[in-house]
């Protein structure tokens, strides 16, 4: 009996020692591709992620979402590559992921076109590709497994519908609007721009000028300053993200004009970042269409569904709201569906994660 207890005790000590050695092996190895759980080896799922860049607050939040979802503790090895807004860098990153034989390739394409060849290479290597945020325009849709992102046209439609209600309510006789576009050729730019063009045509708004602000504050400041010199009758600016709106507001003020209800120029924006919502609360921005950057959890769900053969939907839209700077919530109808447009409160701003 005593011998049995002794043998068990030695066994426990040995097992513990093996576990300690195993754990330190993982800590010592630079790139963690394996973890040890209860003395058993568990492989991490390797994900190669090519991010567009860091052009906006939205983009930074989107990167955070991916980084905090795909951690070693949660069973993943995330290889994060920043393409600095260059499609050629994204293509290089995808080729590197193929060579590294990652389990999944995830990327947010800077523009829609030009992906067929590299995605064919991924398909040949049998690596599933999950696309987030913007879309790819490829001839063969089997080149990617799934897409997760926003309905950018709907975001724009909602914003224009609220703008139309504002114009009617304030009895604004003439709408002279300029459009500071996002990165040309990106799905978010295409959808938001198309929604404005369609609304301008439908409601008889004068769309004076369109130019890309590349989704950045600095470029939007430059574009807005130039537009203000060319047109002295601008009363609306449709910016395709919050960072562009911040740049446009600075340019308008530097030109001696005012923004917001009661002022010279009304701002329409997208993303609804904390700073964007704060400025909507303070009526610098009239309408702010939310764009949801928290894609990580959805990508993880798609991976689970791919692994269990339960993926029943190739395209998935993330939920989002529209915010308004006026004191009352508003209902709008689009395509037979009713949407609530929320008035921004201090607590909405405080609760905003980024
Ligand atoms: O709105 C903007 C960004 O494609 C949804 O890209 C994305 C857009 C987002 O940099 O801030």
């Amino acid at each position: 009996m005593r011998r049995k207890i002794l043998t068990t005790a030695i066994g426990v000590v040995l097992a513990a020692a093996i576990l300690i050695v195993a754990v330190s092996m993982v800590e010592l190895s630079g790139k963690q591709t394996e973890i040890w759980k209860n003395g058993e080896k568990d492989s991490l799922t390797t994900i190669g992620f090519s991010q567009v860049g860091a052009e906006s607050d939205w983009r930074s939040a989107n990167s955070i979402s991916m980084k905090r979802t795909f951690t070693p503790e949660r069973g993943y090895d995330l290889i994060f590559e920043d393409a600095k807004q260059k499609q050629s860098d994204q293509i290089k990153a995808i080729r590197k992921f193929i060579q590294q034989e990652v389990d999944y390739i995830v990327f947010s394409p800077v523009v829609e076109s030009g992906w067929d060849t590299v995605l064919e290479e991924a398909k040949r290597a049998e690596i599933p590709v999950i696309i987030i945020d913007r879309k790819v325009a490829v001839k063969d849709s089997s080149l990617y497994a799934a897409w997760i992102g926003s309905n950018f046209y709907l975001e724009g439609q909602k914003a224009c519908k609220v703008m139309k209600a504002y114009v009617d309510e304030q009895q604004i006789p003439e709408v002279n609007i300029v459009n500071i576009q996002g990165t040309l050729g990106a799905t978010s730019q295409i959808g938001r721009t198309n929604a404005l063009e369609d609304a301008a045509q439908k409601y008889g708004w004068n769309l004076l000028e369109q130019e890309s602000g590349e989704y950045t504050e600095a470029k939007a400041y430059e574009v807005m300053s130039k537009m203000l010199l060319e047109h002295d009758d601008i009363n609306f600016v449709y910016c395709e993200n919050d960072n562009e709106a911040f740049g446009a507001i600075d340019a308008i003020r530097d030109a001696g004009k005012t923004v917001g209800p009661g002022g010279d120029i009304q701002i329409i924006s997208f993303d609804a970042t904390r700073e964007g919502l704060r400025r909507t609360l303070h009526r610098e921005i009239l309408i702010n269409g939310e764009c949801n950057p928290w894609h990580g959890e959805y990508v993880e769900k798609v991976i689970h569904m791919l692994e269990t053969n339960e993926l029943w939907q190739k395209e998935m839209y993330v939920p989002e709201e529209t915010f308004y700077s006026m004191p009352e919530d508003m209902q709008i109808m689009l395509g037979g569906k009713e949407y609530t447009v929320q008035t921004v409160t201090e607590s909405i701003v405080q609760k905003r994660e980024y």
Side-chain angles (χ1 to χ4, degrees):
M1 179 67 178
R2 200 180 289 155
R3 184 179 291 166
K4 203 170 172 196
I5 292 173
L6 194 67
T7 325
T8 317
I10 291 171
V12 169
V13 170
L14 265 176
I18 290 170
L19 189 64
I20 289 165
V21 172
V23 168
S24 9
M25 272 171 59
V26 173
E27 278 168 1
L28 285 175
S29 70
K31 188 172 150 272
Q32 296 188 343
T33 48
E34 290 180 343
I35 52 169
W36 293 75
K37 247 197 242 158
N38 305 325
E40 276 177 39
K41 192 174 85 177
D42 241 13
S43 290
L44 296 181
T45 302
T46 308
I47 295 174
F49 174 48
S50 166
Q51 179 59 290
V52 167
E55 74 285 1
S56 66
D57 298 332
W58 187 97
R59 186 66 55 199
S60 308
N62 185 247
S63 297
I64 289 172
S65 171
M66 291 294 287
K67 285 178 182 167
R68 74 180 179 200
T69 305
F70 298 108
T71 61
E73 296 74 33
R74 305 186 73 252
Y76 302 97
D77 177 20
L78 179 72
I79 309 170
F80 185 99
E81 294 284 346
D82 179 339
K84 302 194 171 61
Q85 305 263 36
K86 285 198 233 114
Q87 182 170 33
S88 55
D89 280 13
Q90 291 204 290
I91 293 175
K92 259 187 241 155
I94 295 171
R95 293 206 163 116
K96 195 175 109 192
F97 298 151
I98 297 172
Q99 268 177 8
Q100 288 170 315
E101 297 181 355
V102 298
D103 296 310
Y104 293 93
I105 291 172
V106 182
F107 79 111
S108 171
V110 59
V111 290
E112 290 191 347
S113 57
W115 301 103
D116 296 80
T117 310
V118 75
L119 292 187
E120 269 155 25
E121 291 166 27
K123 190 179 177 182
R124 243 176 280 131
E126 294 179 14
I127 303 175
V129 173
I130 300 168
I131 294 167
I132 62 167
D133 169 22
R134 305 170 184 177
K135 291 184 172 177
V136 290
V138 284
K139 280 179 231 103
D140 173 6
S141 68
S142 78
L143 292 180
Y144 62 94
W147 169 84
I148 297 154
S150 306
N151 188 336
F152 303 112
Y153 185 73
L154 180 65
E155 286 176 357
Q157 271 188 311
K158 288 187 199 164
C160 290
K161 200 77 199 232
V162 183
M163 182 177 145
K164 163 79 173 132
Y166 178 82
V167 168
D168 289 350
E169 196 192 275
Q170 303 288 315
Q171 298 179 354
I172 296 169
E174 196 176 63
V175 170
N176 295 312
I177 189 163
V178 289
N179 176 199
I180 304 183
Q181 298 165 291
T183 301
L184 297 181
T187 314
S188 42
Q189 174 273 313
I190 296 170
R192 291 168 187 165
T193 296
N194 285 349
L196 172 66
E197 288 173 353
D198 291 351
Q201 211 185 16
K202 187 165 164 198
Y203 303 132
W205 299 340
N206 303 321
L207 182 48
L208 301 176
E209 216 180 316
Q210 294 173 286
E211 194 175 327
S212 176
E214 289 158 18
Y215 282 131
T216 68
E217 203 165 320
K219 184 71 188 173
Y221 180 88
E222 204 183 296
V223 170
M224 187 71 228
S225 304
K226 200 191 74 190
M227 286 174 168
L228 284 162
L229 288 175
E230 285 163 6
H231 312 272
D232 58 8
D233 54 352
I234 300 170
N235 55 359
F236 284 88
V237 184
Y238 183 94
C239 299
E240 294 185 6
N241 79 346
D242 276 345
N243 293 87
E244 288 186 345
F246 307 155
I249 292 169
D250 285 349
I252 292 166
R253 287 180 170 157
D254 286 354
K257 296 203 170 191
T258 52
V259 294
D264 303 316
I265 300 178
Q266 308 309 318
I267 316 284
I268 321 298
S269 183
F270 295 91
D271 284 354
T273 61
R274 192 191 299 130
E275 178 60 11
L277 284 179
R278 194 188 64 76
R279 288 175 186 239
T280 313
L281 175 69
H282 296 295
R283 297 193 160 185
E284 291 174 33
I285 293 173
L286 181 73
I287 302 156
N288 206 328
E290 182 185 28
C291 186
N292 182 345
W294 308 114
H295 294 159
E297 57 177 304
Y298 296 97
V299 176
E300 188 177 40
K301 275 189 196 130
V302 165
I303 288 176
H304 285 315
M305 288 193 275
L306 285 171
E307 290 188 349
T308 51
N309 273 325
E310 280 171 327
L311 189 70
W312 50 275
Q313 205 184 348
K314 201 172 168 103
E315 300 205 332
M316 268 151 284
Y317 290 104
V318 289
E320 22 197 45
E321 308 277 347
T322 307
F323 296 97
Y324 190 35
S325 73
M326 302 306 269
E328 300 279 318
D329 280 1
M330 165 194 298
Q331 305 297 323
I332 51 167
M333 288 292 290
L334 275 170
K337 234 180 129 177
E338 195 177 45
Y339 298 92
T340 301
V341 179
Q342 292 187 54
T343 180
V344 184
T345 60
E346 189 63 51
S347 102
I348 291 179
V349 176
Q350 290 314 320
K351 276 196 223 126
R352 207 59 172 178
E353 253 197 280
Y354 80 105

